[in-house]
Amino acid sequence: GGDVKQLTEDIFKSFDQLDASAQESVIVQLLARKKMNAMQERVAGEQGGGRGKKKMWKRSPSSNVIDAKEAPIQSPNFGVTLGSILERERASDPDARVPQIAVLLTRAVLILGGCTTEGIFRISVYTQDLTDLQQGIEASNPEDWTKIIFESPHHPAALLKLWLRSLPEPIIPFERYDDCIK
């Protein structure tokens, strides 16, 4: 209902606050990746991997993520509370209402066609891909997140699930849970 609509509006508003070159970089990378995935699917279909066959996602090359193997954590987003994330982000943007990681991942899912992708939150990705993406985000500042290239909409969707699961406190606080399910 209204909460989803408001969250969507907040996500698009956050994207709109990026400067034009950052917006262009995000969009160009995501659209290029989407086009490449479509071409790969078409080739797989021509080689007999079409309907009725199990789709296997290729492991993404590690060069597509920020090199984070030994980098220190710059902005922790996994395993910390929403309150601490927003408190840190409000230091630079007092109007922040949605964590930038939620904006990044949700927008990437939408731009890569996640709304029309079968099993978007059911089909996962290789564990190493997920680890590389998580480390890339943790080892960089939000301004650098535009350098991350997602191979498919399943990558940001899996990372969003991981982020949500890693929150020490649920999105809906325990004391409000009964009110929410009524």
Side-chain angles (χ1 to χ4, degrees):
D3 291 338
V4 172
K5 183 179 179 184
Q6 182 61 47
L7 179 60
T8 303
E9 288 175 9
D10 290 344
I11 289 169
F12 281 101
K13 192 183 306 177
S14 296
F15 180 76
D16 291 339
Q17 291 175 359
L18 293 173
D19 65 43
S21 65
Q23 284 182 351
E24 182 178 321
S25 175
V26 169
I27 291 170
V28 167
Q29 288 182 24
L30 293 174
L31 291 176
R33 187 60 52 203
K34 183 177 179 181
K35 186 172 184 174
M36 188 175 93
N37 286 340
M39 290 182 344
Q40 287 174 340
E41 287 179 20
R42 187 182 49 194
V43 169
E46 291 169 1
Q47 295 174 349
R51 286 196 168 293
K53 298 221 178 187
K54 186 175 180 179
K55 187 182 280 187
M56 298 296 292
W57 295 105
K58 290 186 176 180
R59 172 136 168 57
S60 63
S62 59
S63 63
N64 285 346
V65 294
I66 297 169
D67 188 17
K69 297 291 182 211
E70 301 298 324
I73 292 178
Q74 296 293 321
S75 55
N77 286 282
F78 291 84
V80 295
T81 64
L82 282 175
S84 63
I85 293 171
L86 287 172
E87 182 179 319
R88 180 185 70 237
E89 291 180 3
R90 285 185 179 135
S92 60
D93 178 10
D95 297 327
R97 295 177 50 188
V98 178
Q100 291 178 10
I101 188 167
V103 174
L104 167 78
L105 298 174
T106 306
R107 193 165 274 286
V109 169
L110 293 172
I111 290 173
L112 290 169
C115 292
T116 58
T117 301
E118 182 180 342
I120 187 63
F121 289 105
R122 182 178 47 81
I123 298 173
S124 193
V125 297
Y126 286 101
T127 304
Q128 189 60 51
D129 286 353
L130 202 54
T131 301
D132 290 347
L133 288 167
Q134 178 184 356
Q135 289 176 346
I137 286 175
E138 293 282 83
S140 60
N141 292 314
E143 303 84 45
D144 297 326
W145 291 351
T146 58
K147 297 175 186 171
I148 297 172
I149 298 175
F150 296 108
E151 295 293 317
S152 76
H154 293 282
H155 286 83
L159 198 57
L160 180 61
K161 287 189 328 186
L162 178 65
W163 177 70
L164 289 169
R165 275 193 230 116
S166 77
L167 292 172
E169 301 167 359
I171 296 274
I172 300 171
F174 293 117
E175 61 272 4
R176 304 295 303 183
Y177 181 77
D178 289 334
D179 295 333
C180 291
I181 61 170
K182 289 181 183 179

